[in-house]
């Protein structure tokens, strides 16, 4: 703004000198027009100043370490005015705080929920000579997702214990099955004819499959930003490995808001679970997260040398 005002004054001085040495109607008209130029710019800018709606543009989520930027947008029927804004950024998970301006890169080094708020917002006229402070509650959030860190020592599928069985969706055949009375609509090929002949009524073989919700991942939402990155990356990576095997699992997380229990049955529920972890509250120290009724448990820490 200061540079534009200095430029205007230099231009005005030039017009005045031109008028002194060339006293014709054109020089006088140029000087008067240049004097009224700021007023004209102000009048033309006021409708856009009072009717324009300003908002922040930012991606909803980004992978940790990937570039992302925030920008200001204006909804108005008039040409866009010059803007100047300072943004406060805070990672709600790690507590880290930053400051910047629209167009700069958002700090995405560490996982968490980045909240951006406008601290100072000014709107200028079209020439940049007048400044108007704007009170706007501009707020935007960006989820910084962890990078998956798979576990190279995860037990093979055949070593994953199974405690119970559940009905196989869609029926069909299976090595394990349960016997029950036949119901109208059941597949005739799954009728156990020998057993039906013995009891005198139709007996149906209902296919079963392992119920693997007893696979458990546990972690405590605590530590430095680097340790949190490793914890969240490991829980995400191991969860992806388990889903690739078709193994449903549960994530237990001790946070500042209490115990979080997050069931993961598919990619969509996994995405929701990771977002819940990113928006959780930190707690102090490491908690004992032993799940006694779990058949297989993976305790996830944030150590750099953890396998």
């Amino acid at each position: 703004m200061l540079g534009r005002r200095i430029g205007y004054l230099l231009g005005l001085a030039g017009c005045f000198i031109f008028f002194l040495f060339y006293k014709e109607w054109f020089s006088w008209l140029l000087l008067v027009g240049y004097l009224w130029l700021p007023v004209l710019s102000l009048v033309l800018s006021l409708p856009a100043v009072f009717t324009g709606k300003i908002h922040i543009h930012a991606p909803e989520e980004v992978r940790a370490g990937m570039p992302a930027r925030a920008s200001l947008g204006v909804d108005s029927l008039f040409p866009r005015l010059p803007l100047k804004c300072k943004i406060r950024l805070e990672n709600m998970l790690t507590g880290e705080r930053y400051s910047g301006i629209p167009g700069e890169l958002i700090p995405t080094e560490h996982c968490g929920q980045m909240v951006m708020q406008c601290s100072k917002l000014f709107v200028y006229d079209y020439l940049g000579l007048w400044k108007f402070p704007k009170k706007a509650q501009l707020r935007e959030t960006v989820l910084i997702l962890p990078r998956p860190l798979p576990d190279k020592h995860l037990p093979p599928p055949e070593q994953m214990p199974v405690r119970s069985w559940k009905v196989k969706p869609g029926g069909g055949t299976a090595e394990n099955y349960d016997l029950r009375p036949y119901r109208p609509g059941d597949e005739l090929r799954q009728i156990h004819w020998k057993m039906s002949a013995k009891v005198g009524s139709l007996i149906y073989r209902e296919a079963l499959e392992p119920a693997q919700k007893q696979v458990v991942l546990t972690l405590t939402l605590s530590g430095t930003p680097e340790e949190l990155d490793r914890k969240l990356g490991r829980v995400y990576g191991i969860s992806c490995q388990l889903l690739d095997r078709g193994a449903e699992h549960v994530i237990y997380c001790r946070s500042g808001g209490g115990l979080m229990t997050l069931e993961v049955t598919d990619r969509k529920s996994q995405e929701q679970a990771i977002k819940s972890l990113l928006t959780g509250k930190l707690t102090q120290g490491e908690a004992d997260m032993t799940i006694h009724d779990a058949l297989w448990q993976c305790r996830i820490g944030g150590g750099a040398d953890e396998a």
Side-chain angles (χ1 to χ4, degrees):
M1 182 177 178
L2 179 60
R4 295 192 178 190
R5 287 180 174 177
I6 293 175
Y8 172 76
L9 292 176
L10 291 176
L12 182 61
C15 291
F16 183 72
I17 294 173
F18 179 65
F19 172 72
L20 291 178
F21 289 94
Y22 187 74
K23 294 184 178 181
E24 298 293 337
W25 67 269
F26 176 75
S27 61
W28 169 249
L29 185 63
L30 181 63
L31 179 60
V32 173
Y34 205 85
L35 282 171
W36 280 94
L37 193 60
V39 178
L40 178 63
S41 175
L42 176 62
V43 172
L44 294 177
S45 302
L46 286 178
V49 170
F50 292 109
T51 61
K53 294 183 179 180
I54 305 172
H55 47 83
I56 299 180
H57 285 300
E60 294 184 1
E61 56 188 46
V62 63
R63 191 71 62 190
M66 298 299 292
R69 299 179 187 271
S71 61
L72 287 182
V74 182
D75 294 332
S76 176
L77 297 176
F78 303 93
R80 176 174 173 171
L81 296 171
L83 300 172
K84 187 176 181 180
C85 175
K86 289 186 177 180
I87 298 178
R88 293 196 307 263
L89 304 97
E90 181 177 3
N91 190 319
M92 304 304 292
L93 181 62
T94 64
E96 297 172 302
R97 296 183 179 182
Y98 311 89
S99 61
I101 60 175
E104 289 184 342
L105 288 173
I106 300 172
T108 61
E109 292 83 4
H110 301 299
C111 302
Q113 183 184 35
M114 187 68 72
V115 176
M116 297 176 292
Q117 289 182 305
C118 239
S119 57
K120 294 182 180 180
L121 177 61
F122 297 97
V123 180
Y124 298 86
D125 68 300
Y126 289 116
L127 289 180
L129 303 176
W130 305 90
K131 180 171 69 172
F132 307 92
K134 289 278 282 187
K135 292 184 179 180
Q137 298 296 325
L138 301 181
R139 177 186 172 96
E140 188 62 75
T141 59
V142 178
L143 278 179
I144 305 176
L145 304 176
R147 290 179 175 272
L149 299 175
D151 189 346
K152 297 179 181 179
H153 305 289
L154 196 69
E158 60 271 13
Q159 294 183 14
M160 299 293 286
V162 175
R163 177 176 59 183
S164 59
W165 300 85
K166 63 180 181 180
V167 176
K168 183 179 180 181
T173 59
E175 293 183 2
N176 297 279
Y177 56 87
D178 193 14
L179 298 177
R180 63 167 175 81
Y182 173 82
R183 303 191 194 112
D186 289 337
E187 296 183 21
L188 295 178
R189 60 180 178 177
Q190 296 302 323
I191 294 177
H192 198 303
W193 294 107
K194 290 184 179 181
M195 185 63 67
S196 300
K198 290 182 179 179
V199 301
S201 61
L202 295 178
I203 301 298
Y204 183 77
R205 289 182 296 190
E206 192 165 48
L208 301 177
E209 66 178 9
Q212 296 185 346
K213 285 190 178 181
Q214 293 76 30
V215 175
V216 173
L217 308 179
T218 60
L219 73 154
T220 304
L221 212 57
S222 64
T224 64
E226 292 76 13
E227 291 173 337
L228 287 170
D229 288 342
R230 287 190 286 266
K231 286 182 179 181
L232 294 169
R234 285 166 183 156
V235 73
Y236 182 35
I238 296 174
S239 177
C240 289
Q241 288 177 293
L242 293 173
L243 285 183
D244 289 341
R245 298 177 178 185
E248 300 175 357
H249 50 282
V250 181
I251 301 174
Y252 289 101
C253 176
R254 181 70 64 181
S255 69
L259 180 64
M260 303 170 65
T261 304
L262 309 168
E263 292 192 9
V264 178
T265 58
D266 52 24
R267 296 294 179 182
K268 185 176 181 179
S269 59
Q270 181 196 54
E271 179 183 346
Q272 293 300 322
I274 297 300
K275 290 182 179 180
S276 297
L277 293 175
L278 292 174
T279 55
K281 296 181 180 180
L282 287 184
T283 187
Q284 298 295 326
E286 292 289 327
D288 182 12
M289 295 289 291
T290 301
I291 309 298
H292 297 288
D293 62 344
L295 291 181
W296 185 82
Q297 177 178 352
C298 180
R299 298 177 180 85
I300 297 174
D305 57 346
E306 182 176 325

